[in-house]
Amino acid sequence: KTRDMLKELSGVDVNTSDSLKLAGQIFGVGTGISDDEVRKILNAKASITNKWELKKQLEERSQTVKVLKSTLHQLMKGKNKHVTSTIETEKTTKRSWAKAVHIAKECDGERQKLKESIKEKEVEGTTMKEEKKDKIRELNSSQEKVSNLESE
C-alpha cells in the first residue's frame, strides 16, 4: 500500500530500477568510466620505444583522466541532486501521511458521533411510535365514549 501511495503521490515507481538505468547511463561504454575502460587504463603497460610515443600516450592518459574527473564531478552533482530530491520526497510523503492519519482520526470521530446520534434518533422514534399508539387508543376510547353518550 505504501509503495502504491508513493507511486501515486510522487510518480516514482519503486518496482522499476531507476538506479540501474541511471547506473547504465553513467557507467556505460563510451563514457570513459565503464568497467572495461577503467580496467584498460589500469592494466596498460609501458611498452614504448620512442620518446614521442611515450609523450603521446601520456597526453592520451591525461585526457582520459580529465574525462574521468569531469564524469565523476557530474556523478557527484547527480548524486547530491538525487539525495536532495529523495529527502524532499520523503518529507512530503511523511507530511502527507500525517495529514491522512489526522483526517482519518477526524472522520472516525465524526462517524462515532453520527452513530450515537442515530441511536438517539432510533430511541426517539420508538418512543414516538409508542406515544402515537397510546394517543390512537385514547382517541378511539374517546370516540367510543362520544358515540355512547350520543346514543343515550
Side-chain angles (χ1 to χ4, degrees), residues 4-42:
D4 292 338
M5 187 176 76
L6 178 64
K7 180 179 178 182
E8 188 177 303
L9 291 175
S10 65
V12 174
D13 187 1
V14 294
N15 295 324
T16 62
S17 182
D18 291 335
S19 297
L20 289 177
K21 289 178 189 175
L22 182 62
Q25 292 171 352
I26 293 171
F27 299 107
V29 176
T31 60
I33 59 171
S34 69
D35 287 346
D36 293 335
E37 292 167 328
V38 171
R39 209 172 282 117
K40 183 179 173 182
I41 292 169
L42 293 175

Side-chain angles (χ1 to χ4, degrees), residues 113-124:
K113 288 178 185 176
L114 288 173
K115 277 184 173 180
E116 291 172 8
S117 176
I118 288 172
K119 285 181 183 178
E120 289 174 5
K121 296 300 179 189
E122 286 175 346
V123 169
E124 205 174 286

